[in-house]
Amino acid sequence: DLRRAFQRPESFEVAAGVAVSRDLPMVRGAAIEGQVLDGASQPAANIVVSALRFVYDENGRRPAPVGQTRTDDRGRFRVHTLPAGEYYLEAAPDPLDALTRPAVPGQPATTLERTYYPGAPRIDGGQTISLALGATTSDLVVVLPRVQTAALRGRVLDSTGAATPNSMVRIQRAGGPVGEVRGTVNPSNQVFSYPSVPSGTYWLMGVARPAPGAPLEFSATPLTVAGQDLTDL
């Protein structure tokens, strides 16, 4: 059913020794085209642009990408091969870039902020884009403001206060997508580092196993980031 691209199709039976013929019509996918600019109205290159729709799974309602691409050197993008439907358009820098981006001495660390078309910081403030079969919506412009970031560093300790090998840590914005900010953990001393965290409210979560075969230990605490480095978490 071409009108139900995201629903499970009806099944049919094939009996032993019986040949069954079914037609499967193919249609041209829809597309969204446009440009991503930074706060100075300059093209933003290598920005991840996603066409999202809400799905439901065991964790509840969440946005999921149906199509994704990156902007070119002119900030242009084309998300294509999309089934007809309603989409949110998200533009965000690749969080992995923050791990290799060199700091500029004397200047505050900044990044472009994740934005939902036409200019909302959260998806609930975004505007849906309606796509018909095979249609292309063109000339959309998304502006990503530049925001100050902070560096977060600390150690993962178990309940005895010891740095336990193979522990894990994650920093996630409250209500934000998983993986929005990225960091590293030094396995030798369990020191973690997140070099580029935008201002906001986050959850700092850790998991540790004090000894082989011992039960896992968990910790979660809210954390407010306001542009100042936090280096003793």
Side-chain angles (χ1 to χ4, degrees), residues 34-76:
Q35 187 179 30
V36 178
L37 305 176
D38 63 17
S41 298
Q42 296 299 309
N46 200 38
I47 297 297
V48 179
V49 180
S50 306
L52 308 175
R53 62 182 295 270
F54 280 102
V55 299
Y56 294 86
D57 57 21
E58 62 275 7
N59 296 316
R61 182 174 180 261
R62 64 177 180 84
V66 178
Q68 195 171 76
T69 189
R70 290 175 184 258
T71 58
D72 62 16
D73 61 314
R74 301 170 300 167
R76 303 292 303 181

Coordinates of all heavy atoms in Angstrom, one line a residue, residues 34-76:
G34 N 18.0 22.1 0.6 CA 18.1 23.4 1.2 C 19.6 23.7 1.5 O 20.5 23.1 1.0
Q35 N 19.8 24.6 2.5 CA 21.1 25.1 2.9 C 21.1 25.3 4.3 O 20.1 25.8 4.9 CB 21.4 26.4 2.1 CG 22.9 26.8 2.3 CD 23.2 28.1 1.6 OE1 22.3 29.0 1.4 NE2 24.4 28.3 1.2
V36 N 22.3 25.0 5.0 CA 22.5 25.3 6.4 C 23.5 26.4 6.5 O 24.6 26.3 5.9 CB 23.0 24.0 7.1 CG1 23.3 24.3 8.6 CG2 22.0 22.9 7.0
L37 N 23.2 27.4 7.3 CA 24.0 28.5 7.5 C 24.4 28.6 9.0 O 23.6 28.1 9.9 CB 23.3 29.8 7.1 CG 22.8 29.9 5.7 CD1 22.1 31.2 5.5 CD2 24.0 29.8 4.7
D38 N 25.5 29.2 9.3 CA 25.8 29.5 10.7 C 25.2 30.8 11.1 O 24.5 31.5 10.4 CB 27.3 29.4 11.0 CG 28.1 30.5 10.2 OD1 27.5 31.5 9.7 OD2 29.3 30.4 10.1
G39 N 25.5 31.2 12.4 CA 24.9 32.5 12.9 C 25.3 33.7 12.2 O 24.7 34.8 12.3
A40 N 26.5 33.6 11.4 CA 27.0 34.8 10.7 C 26.5 34.7 9.2 O 27.1 35.4 8.4 CB 28.5 34.8 10.7
S41 N 25.5 33.9 8.9 CA 25.0 33.7 7.6 C 26.0 33.1 6.6 O 25.9 33.4 5.4 CB 24.4 35.0 7.1 OG 23.3 35.5 7.9
Q42 N 27.0 32.4 7.1 CA 27.9 31.7 6.2 C 27.6 30.3 6.1 O 27.0 29.7 7.0 CB 29.4 31.9 6.8 CG 29.9 33.3 6.9 CD 29.9 33.9 5.5 OE1 30.5 33.4 4.6 NE2 29.3 35.1 5.4
P43 N 27.9 29.6 4.9 CA 27.6 28.2 4.7 C 28.2 27.4 5.8 O 29.4 27.6 6.2 CB 28.1 27.9 3.3 CG 28.2 29.2 2.7 CD 28.5 30.2 3.7
A44 N 27.5 26.4 6.3 CA 28.0 25.5 7.3 C 28.3 24.1 6.7 O 27.3 23.5 6.3 CB 27.0 25.4 8.5
A45 N 29.5 23.7 6.5 CA 29.9 22.5 5.9 C 29.9 21.3 6.8 O 30.1 21.5 8.0 CB 31.2 22.7 5.2
N46 N 29.7 20.1 6.3 CA 29.8 18.9 7.1 C 28.8 18.8 8.2 O 29.1 18.2 9.2 CB 31.3 18.6 7.6 CG 31.5 17.2 7.9 OD1 31.1 16.3 7.2 ND2 32.3 16.9 8.9
I47 N 27.7 19.4 8.1 CA 26.6 19.3 9.1 C 25.7 18.2 8.7 O 25.4 17.9 7.6 CB 25.8 20.6 9.1 CG1 26.7 21.8 9.5 CG2 24.6 20.5 10.0 CD1 27.2 21.7 10.9
V48 N 25.4 17.4 9.7 CA 24.5 16.2 9.5 C 23.1 16.7 9.5 O 22.6 17.3 10.5 CB 24.7 15.2 10.7 CG1 23.8 14.0 10.5 CG2 26.2 14.7 10.7
V49 N 22.4 16.4 8.4 CA 21.0 16.8 8.2 C 20.2 15.5 8.1 O 20.4 14.6 7.4 CB 20.8 17.6 6.9 CG1 19.4 18.1 6.8 CG2 21.7 18.9 7.0
S50 N 19.1 15.5 9.0 CA 18.3 14.3 9.1 C 16.8 14.6 8.9 O 16.3 15.6 9.4 CB 18.5 13.6 10.4 OG 19.9 13.4 10.7
A51 N 16.1 13.8 8.2 CA 14.7 13.8 8.1 C 14.1 12.8 9.1 O 14.4 11.6 9.0 CB 14.2 13.5 6.7
L52 N 13.4 13.3 10.1 CA 13.0 12.5 11.3 C 11.5 12.3 11.3 O 10.7 13.2 10.8 CB 13.4 13.2 12.6 CG 14.8 13.6 12.8 CD1 14.9 14.4 14.1 CD2 15.7 12.5 12.8
R53 N 11.0 11.2 11.8 CA 9.6 11.0 12.2 C 9.6 10.3 13.5 O 10.6 9.6 13.9 CB 8.9 10.2 11.1 CG 9.5 8.8 10.9 CD 8.8 8.0 9.8 NE 7.4 7.8 10.1 CZ 6.9 6.7 10.8 NH1 7.8 5.7 11.1 NH2 5.7 6.5 11.1
F54 N 8.5 10.4 14.2 CA 8.4 9.7 15.5 C 8.0 8.3 15.3 O 7.2 7.9 14.5 CB 7.3 10.4 16.4 CG 7.8 11.7 17.0 CD1 7.5 12.9 16.5 CD2 8.6 11.6 18.2 CE1 8.0 14.1 17.1 CE2 9.1 12.8 18.8 CZ 8.8 14.0 18.2
V55 N 8.7 7.4 16.1 CA 8.4 6.0 16.2 C 8.1 5.6 17.6 O 8.4 6.3 18.5 CB 9.5 5.1 15.6 CG1 9.8 5.5 14.1 CG2 10.8 5.4 16.4
Y56 N 7.6 4.4 17.8 CA 7.3 3.9 19.1 C 8.0 2.6 19.3 O 7.9 1.7 18.4 CB 5.8 3.7 19.3 CG 5.0 5.0 19.3 CD1 4.6 5.6 18.1 CD2 4.7 5.7 20.5 CE1 3.9 6.8 18.1 CE2 4.0 6.9 20.5 CZ 3.6 7.4 19.3 OH 2.9 8.6 19.3
D57 N 8.7 2.4 20.4 CA 9.4 1.1 20.7 C 9.2 0.9 22.2 O 8.4 1.5 22.9 CB 10.8 1.1 20.2 CG 11.7 2.3 20.8 OD1 11.2 2.8 21.9 OD2 12.7 2.6 20.3
E58 N 10.1 -0.1 22.7 CA 10.0 -0.4 24.1 C 10.3 0.8 25.0 O 10.0 0.7 26.2 CB 10.9 -1.6 24.4 CG 12.4 -1.4 24.2 CD 12.8 -1.6 22.8 OE1 11.9 -1.8 21.9 OE2 14.0 -1.5 22.5
N59 N 11.0 1.8 24.5 CA 11.3 2.9 25.3 C 10.3 4.1 25.2 O 10.5 5.2 25.7 CB 12.7 3.4 25.0 CG 13.8 2.4 25.3 OD1 13.8 1.8 26.3 ND2 14.7 2.2 24.4
G60 N 9.3 3.9 24.4 CA 8.3 4.9 24.2 C 8.4 5.6 22.9 O 9.0 5.1 21.9
R61 N 7.9 6.8 22.8 CA 7.9 7.6 21.6 C 9.2 8.4 21.5 O 9.7 9.0 22.4 CB 6.8 8.6 21.7 CG 6.6 9.5 20.5 CD 5.3 10.4 20.6 NE 5.0 11.2 19.5 CZ 5.3 12.5 19.5 NH1 5.9 13.1 20.6 NH2 5.0 13.3 18.5
R62 N 9.9 8.3 20.3 CA 11.1 8.9 20.1 C 11.3 9.3 18.6 O 10.7 8.6 17.7 CB 12.3 8.0 20.5 CG 12.4 6.8 19.7 CD 13.6 5.9 20.1 NE 13.7 4.7 19.3 CZ 14.3 4.6 18.1 NH1 14.8 5.7 17.5 NH2 14.3 3.5 17.4
P63 N 12.1 10.3 18.2 CA 12.3 10.6 16.8 C 13.4 9.7 16.3 O 14.4 9.4 16.9 CB 12.8 12.1 16.9 CG 13.4 12.2 18.2 CD 12.6 11.3 19.2
A64 N 13.2 9.3 15.0 CA 14.1 8.4 14.4 C 14.4 8.9 13.0 O 13.5 9.3 12.3 CB 13.6 7.0 14.3
P65 N 15.7 8.9 12.5 CA 16.0 9.3 11.1 C 15.5 8.3 10.1 O 15.7 7.1 10.2 CB 17.5 9.4 11.1 CG 17.9 8.5 12.2 CD 16.9 8.5 13.2
V66 N 14.8 8.9 9.0 CA 14.4 8.1 7.9 C 15.4 8.2 6.8 O 15.7 7.3 6.0 CB 13.0 8.5 7.4 CG1 12.6 7.7 6.2 CG2 12.0 8.3 8.5
G67 N 16.0 9.5 6.6 CA 17.0 9.8 5.7 C 18.0 10.7 6.3 O 17.6 11.5 7.1
Q68 N 19.2 10.6 5.8 CA 20.3 11.5 6.4 C 21.4 11.8 5.4 O 21.7 11.0 4.5 CB 20.9 10.7 7.6 CG 21.7 11.6 8.5 CD 22.1 10.8 9.8 OE1 22.9 9.9 9.8 NE2 21.4 11.1 10.9
T69 N 22.0 13.0 5.5 CA 23.1 13.3 4.6 C 23.9 14.4 5.3 O 23.7 14.7 6.5 CB 22.5 13.9 3.3 OG1 23.6 14.1 2.4 CG2 21.8 15.2 3.5
R70 N 24.9 14.9 4.6 CA 25.8 16.0 5.2 C 25.8 17.1 4.2 O 25.7 16.9 3.0 CB 27.2 15.5 5.4 CG 27.3 14.5 6.6 CD 28.7 13.9 6.7 NE 28.8 12.9 7.8 CZ 29.3 13.2 9.0 NH1 29.8 14.4 9.3 NH2 29.4 12.2 9.9
T71 N 26.0 18.3 4.7 CA 26.1 19.5 3.8 C 27.5 19.5 3.1 O 28.5 19.0 3.7 CB 25.9 20.8 4.6 OG1 26.9 20.8 5.7 CG2 24.6 20.8 5.3
D72 N 27.5 20.1 1.9 CA 28.7 20.2 1.2 C 29.4 21.5 1.6 O 29.0 22.2 2.6 CB 28.5 20.1 -0.3 CG 27.6 21.3 -0.8 OD1 27.4 22.3 -0.1 OD2 27.1 21.1 -2.0
D73 N 30.5 21.9 0.8 CA 31.2 23.1 1.2 C 30.4 24.4 1.1 O 30.8 25.4 1.6 CB 32.5 23.2 0.3 CG 32.1 23.3 -1.1 OD1 31.3 22.5 -1.6 OD2 32.7 24.2 -1.8
R74 N 29.3 24.3 0.4 CA 28.4 25.5 0.3 C 27.2 25.5 1.3 O 26.3 26.3 1.2 CB 27.8 25.6 -1.2 CG 28.8 25.7 -2.3 CD 28.2 25.5 -3.6 NE 27.5 24.2 -3.7 CZ 26.7 23.8 -4.7 NH1 26.3 24.7 -5.6 NH2 26.1 22.6 -4.7
G75 N 27.3 24.5 2.1 CA 26.2 24.3 3.1 C 24.9 23.7 2.5 O 23.9 23.6 3.2
R76 N 25.0 23.2 1.3 CA 23.8 22.6 0.6 C 23.6 21.2 1.0 O 24.6 20.5 1.3 CB 24.0 22.7 -0.9 CG 24.2 24.1 -1.5 CD 23.0 25.0 -1.3 NE 21.8 24.5 -2.0 CZ 20.7 25.1 -2.0 NH1 20.6 26.3 -1.4 NH2 19.6 24.6 -2.6

